[in-house]
Amino acid sequence: MRLGGPARYVAELSAPEDITKAYRFVREHNMAVAVLGGGSNVLGRDEGYGGVVLLNRLCGLRIVEEGGGKIVIEAASGELLDDLAAFTAQRGYTGLEATSAIPGTIGGAVMQNAGAYGQELSDVLVAVKAYDTQRDEFVTFTRDQLELSYRHSIFNSSEKGRYFITAATVELHRDEIEGELYGSLQAYLDQQGITNRQPMTIRAAVSAIRAEKLPDPAVYASSGSFFKNITVREDQIAEYRARFDGIPIYLIGACWEIASGWLVEQAGLKGKLLHGMRVSDKAALILINESARSYADLACARAEITQAVQKKFGLTLQQEPEELG
């Protein structure tokens, strides 16, 4: 978003020993610490950050096992999620192709169980390696220990700040994406006359959709999808569809979700400029900083949007980007 003040200290970490040295410094000086991967899903406050910001630069993709129609890969947490999606889709494996072009690293993707267009990292995740800052040791978690759900894991909830994620192991299979496709993805395939669902076909389609709708954070001051989709119980779906004609509700993983971008658009805010923040005219879930000068400007824009959606639908939007400070 290109908002927020400076950090007191910044350190780049490219090896496990860098992690232990950095946290030794943190403990010795009794300082706050924050971890950044690509930083595309993080907001800074105007007062800056008084502690240490650790930049995750751990790299490497390693094939652990391949054969019998499956592949197991260990990906360092500083690798880009999009590079892992490309690596697997090019080899014909399904499970991550719909996450193509998501900006950010594997570590950030694990922390918030990143996903898009009907796929989530939790669909393929097997294990996660991390440094335990409390016990000063490296540990391994199985998938079942991570409490994964929509944009949620132990790393951004019950154990937030305790662990530095170092690597993730994923398992994918040779196949095609199954089930009902996310609305905009299916619409794109229909428009292009595409009927096959091979991983590279879906990757190309998702990449094209994102390029059209979602601003590149390296070019535009944006943190991508600003609001989380709203999760609802299955027994609530009929009620919402009866009350709000055309409301998009999809099954993502094990959760039913209402598309928050549609709610913002129906509230009449698509394309609007609010306190220097532009609600994208291509995808209403996206906020772009055109002229906002402070975090306070962003906060005012966020409040207006959430209030408008609450008034029209009785639903409360929740911010997706994490915040430093």
Side-chain angles (χ1 to χ4, degrees):
M1 282 295 193
R2 298 175 195 163
L3 296 172
R8 184 176 180 186
Y9 293 100
V10 175
E12 289 189 297
L13 312 182
S14 57
E17 53 267 30
D18 295 339
I19 301 172
T20 56
K21 290 178 182 178
Y23 278 97
R24 188 177 305 126
F25 176 85
V26 167
R27 285 190 291 269
E28 288 174 353
H29 294 82
N30 193 28
M31 300 185 73
V33 62
V35 178
L36 283 184
S40 61
N41 201 46
V42 177
L43 303 176
R45 291 180 176 269
D46 298 334
E47 60 269 25
Y49 190 72
V52 184
V53 173
L54 305 179
L55 303 181
N56 184 355
R57 300 292 185 258
L58 302 180
C59 296
L61 296 177
R62 180 174 67 91
I63 297 177
V64 177
E65 176 187 350
E66 186 173 16
K70 78 172 184 179
I71 189 170
V72 179
I73 302 169
E74 183 179 88
S77 57
E79 289 284 346
L80 296 179
L81 175 61
D82 184 54
D83 287 346
L84 179 59
F87 187 85
T88 54
Q90 288 165 0
R91 287 161 175 76
Y93 294 100
T94 186
L96 288 173
E97 64 271 32
T99 69
S100 295
I102 291 180
T105 61
I106 297 295
V110 169
M111 184 183 73
Q112 67 158 0
N113 186 23
Y117 300 102
Q119 288 182 343
E120 293 180 324
L121 191 62
S122 59
D123 298 335
V124 299
L125 195 61
V126 174
V128 171
K129 292 181 178 178
Y131 171 70
D132 186 337
T133 66
Q134 291 184 11
R135 299 171 60 183
D136 188 24
E137 64 181 15
F138 290 91
V139 296
T140 299
F141 293 93
T142 63
R143 180 191 181 283
D144 293 341
Q145 294 175 303
L146 299 178
E147 300 176 7
L148 297 166
S149 61
Y150 177 68
R151 301 300 175 266
H152 178 275
S153 73
I154 62 171
F155 301 117
N156 63 5
S157 57
S158 61
E159 299 293 349
K160 186 174 182 178
R162 176 173 175 174
Y163 298 98
F164 185 109
I165 299 167
T166 61
T169 300
V170 295
E171 180 180 313
L172 295 85
H173 295 81
R174 287 193 187 279
D175 206 344
E176 296 183 359
I177 191 170
E178 297 181 345
E180 180 182 355
L181 295 182
Y182 202 83
S184 56
L185 175 56
Q186 185 63 64
Y188 177 87
L189 296 177
D190 291 343
Q191 290 166 6
Q192 301 298 317
I194 299 171
T195 57
N196 87 72
R197 295 184 172 190
Q198 288 294 319
M200 281 302 292
T201 300
I202 298 300
R203 173 172 167 78
V206 167
S207 297
I209 294 169
R210 293 185 70 92
E212 172 63 25
K213 290 186 174 183
L214 307 179
D216 182 348
V219 180
Y220 299 95
S222 171
S223 59
S225 298
F226 194 82
F227 296 105
K228 299 177 183 180
N229 285 342
I230 293 177
T231 57
V232 295
R233 300 190 311 272
E234 187 171 4
D235 61 7
Q236 295 176 302
I237 295 174
E239 175 191 350
Y240 281 117
R241 286 177 172 164
R243 289 173 59 196
F244 306 113
D245 185 44
I247 189 169
I249 305 177
Y250 303 104
L251 179 62
I252 308 297
C255 296
W256 288 95
E257 301 173 12
I258 297 174
S260 291
W262 184 87
L263 301 177
V264 175
E265 181 175 353
Q266 294 300 307
L269 297 174
K270 189 175 184 179
K272 298 291 185 181
L273 184 66
L274 306 171
H275 304 276
M277 303 298 304
R278 177 77 67 183
V279 180
S280 173
D281 60 359
K282 294 181 178 179
L285 199 59
I286 307 298
L287 299 186
I288 302 170
N289 181 6
E290 291 191 357
S291 57
R293 296 183 178 181
S294 68
Y295 176 87
D297 291 334
L298 171 61
C300 288
R302 177 182 60 206
E304 285 197 25
I305 295 168
T306 55
Q307 288 166 10
V309 169
Q310 176 68 40
K311 182 177 180 180
K312 186 173 181 66
F313 297 100
L315 296 170
T316 302
L317 294 175
Q318 292 186 334
Q319 177 178 305
E320 182 170 321
E322 295 283 324
E323 295 192 11
L324 293 186

